[in-house]
Amino acid sequence: MSETSIAATPRILAYGPQPADSAIAQSDVDVEFVESSRELFERLTEAPTHLVICLHAPPVFDGVEAVKGIRRFDATVPVVLASRIQNTMLNLQAVQSQVTWSVNLAGEGPIEEALLDLVTDAREWLERQAE
């Protein structure tokens, strides 16, 4: 099970495409991108995770199914479901899968950039929590 305290080095797992330039600034928060649900679940077992961000961009990234898998493994880790799709069906699926937060990804550019912006914001938020 994941720890949710900020005593350990905060860690974010992001289920989605790895940014091309891997432009995650140096910080006191570890950030890992994974591109498969299998890899996501493997990483969850390796070390405490403070936040998981799941991209929902079917058919390549099914964030709802990833969240369901996370919840079978760990009901306590905070999970953000991020998508550009905003409709009632997705909102209901998010609630049913026990998403902590559901976020609409901004912009019309590449999804990788929008996901990276969200991960950067989450990293900065965790850094402030650790202070």
Side-chain angles (χ1 to χ4, degrees):
M1 296 292 169
S2 294
E3 295 178 15
T4 54
S5 75
I6 306 296
T9 300
R11 180 173 178 235
I12 296 173
L13 286 177
Y15 168 68
Q18 174 81 29
D21 59 4
S22 298
I24 296 289
Q26 291 287 20
S27 75
D28 295 329
V29 176
D30 292 335
V31 176
E32 294 179 55
F33 283 84
V34 296
E35 295 190 14
S36 74
S37 56
R38 186 176 141 261
E39 186 179 7
L40 174 64
F41 303 136
E42 288 174 1
R43 295 286 191 275
L44 278 169
T45 62
E46 292 176 355
T49 301
H50 296 82
L51 181 66
V52 180
I53 298 172
C54 292
L55 176 64
H56 184 71
V60 178
F61 294 100
D62 190 339
V64 172
E65 287 302 314
V67 172
K68 289 177 184 177
I70 292 166
R71 289 298 177 231
R72 285 190 292 274
F73 173 76
D74 187 339
T76 63
V77 65
V79 179
V80 175
L81 181 66
S83 183
R84 286 191 171 146
I85 301 169
Q86 292 301 309
N87 60 39
T88 303
M89 181 59 75
L90 182 59
N91 291 338
L92 290 172
Q93 289 175 322
V95 169
Q96 287 177 327
S97 61
Q98 301 175 355
V99 166
T100 310
W101 298 283
S102 185
V103 176
N104 184 20
L105 290 175
E108 294 182 16
I111 197 85
E112 294 89 349
E113 290 177 18
L115 182 61
L116 180 59
D117 289 344
L118 175 60
V119 168
T120 300
D121 290 346
R123 178 187 51 80
E124 290 170 0
W125 179 77
L126 279 175
E127 285 176 335
R128 287 193 301 273
Q129 299 305 306
E131 291 177 351

